[in-house]
Amino acid sequence: MKRVIKILGILVLTTIVFLLGLVMGGGASADTSPTVDQQDFGRTLYYIKRKFVRPGVSDDTLFYGSVSGMVEALDDPYSEFYSPDQAKLLESDLEGKFSGIGAQVGPKDGRTVIIAPMPDSPAMKAGLRSGDIIVGIDKEIVVGKSLNEIVKRLRGDKGKPVTVKIVREGEKAPLDITVVRDDIVTVQLKWKTTTVEKKKLMVLTSSEFGPDAAPLFEKAVAEMKAQHVNGIVLDLRGNPGGMLRVAQSMICNWVPKGPMVFTDFRDRAPTSMDCDGDAPLANIPTVVLINKGSASASEITAGALQDYGKARVIGEQSFGKGCGQDVIPYPDGSILKLTTFLWRTPKGRTIDKVGIAPDEVVKAPPPSDDKNAPDPQMERAVQFLTTGH
């Protein structure tokens, strides 16, 4: 009975949405094409259930497929529907504990790309890089597959290899890179102090804006105060983002008062998330490092500190994800992730599909397995903090 209710619920939902669009003068008014007869959904369901040549397709499969199809029709790479099994993958991502290759993947220009391999992950050790376009997994072409499906195929038991076919800028032909999966536990923030030219600097490396990042940042700030640091490097390279409130908690340590980000909605006036506090780091010289693997909340952080003149941003143009999603759970464990707003920096700059441009462009060297290999971006950050220019 519950499964039947699910299917009928889709029909009711689409009818309600259609009627609301007429009453409220929504998107339907701008579309001059003939309106789809809402009963066509019921007819399609009837024919599939009664006449499809291979019986046994479950109501759950039809329900999840229907919702997924509606979301896919939005043509928005960040809006997705997760079945209960897929939702568990999303939950493990947020917790930062799973088995797989250890790379953040996401949509860009209609393709699925490596946003950033996680530090010391199997993906990084195997040679995957930010910007690599995923076209195949284990000899099967995955172009056109959903992000959910690709992530699911990259996951797997520890010790099991997976071969990822990628297209890389500068390479004439696709590359096959074999990665041995492992248990992935992300350290969301780590820091260290160093003394250069008699100046004490703290380097904070933020891998993602997850739930552990905010309390770890508080500890780092307390240590900065105790050690009286003279400069800060906030390394957001390869940080794919995460929770906006975590970004806010960080930004407001530099910005005492004012908006840290503006949020634009379709159905109401723009709002802002503001800072209003002591901002203990406001007067400490700061450099933020970004690259093309810096996305979402990390772009908001870099953009806010740049707009307020609280940090010099060094590195390369960031990824360009300036939109946010509401996560809507359902009783059966499925989840709808829907893009509902766009972000702008405090000065009103658009982030989506644009990214944050650094104050100073410093290119990264080719990836290397040598942990002692030169890092010109970090070297330039330290130079700026020690010399003031």
Side-chain angles (χ1 to χ4, degrees), residues 132-136 141 143 164-177:
D132 286 344
I133 302 166
I134 300 175
V135 296
I141 299 301
V143 175
V164 185
K165 183 181 289 294
I166 57 100
V167 173
R168 176 176 294 168
E169 184 178 357
E171 296 288 345
K172 295 181 179 180
L175 304 175
D176 286 325
I177 296 179

Side-chain angles (χ1 to χ4, degrees), residues 117 175 223 286 370:
L175 304 175
E223 192 170 316
T286 301
D370 182 4

Side-chain angles (χ1 to χ4, degrees), residues 198-273:
K198 297 182 179 180
K199 289 193 175 181
K200 186 170 289 186
L201 309 179
M202 177 170 281
V203 178
L204 298 106
T205 303
S206 174
S207 63
E208 64 176 294
F209 289 83
D212 294 337
L216 288 171
F217 189 77
E218 290 180 8
K219 292 181 180 179
V221 171
E223 192 170 316
M224 288 184 215
K225 293 179 181 178
Q227 296 194 26
H228 303 288
V229 300
N230 307 115
I232 301 167
V233 180
L234 179 59
D235 189 353
L236 299 178
R237 294 175 296 178
N239 184 322
M243 300 178 180
L244 189 56
R245 62 177 175 80
V246 176
Q248 181 183 28
S249 68
M250 289 190 182
I251 293 168
C252 294
N253 276 274
W254 280 275
V255 178
K257 193 174 184 65
M260 55 148 273
V261 69
F262 288 103
T263 306
D264 296 327
F265 300 90
R266 171 187 172 183
D267 58 348
R268 59 185 187 273
T271 63
S272 65
M273 293 182 68

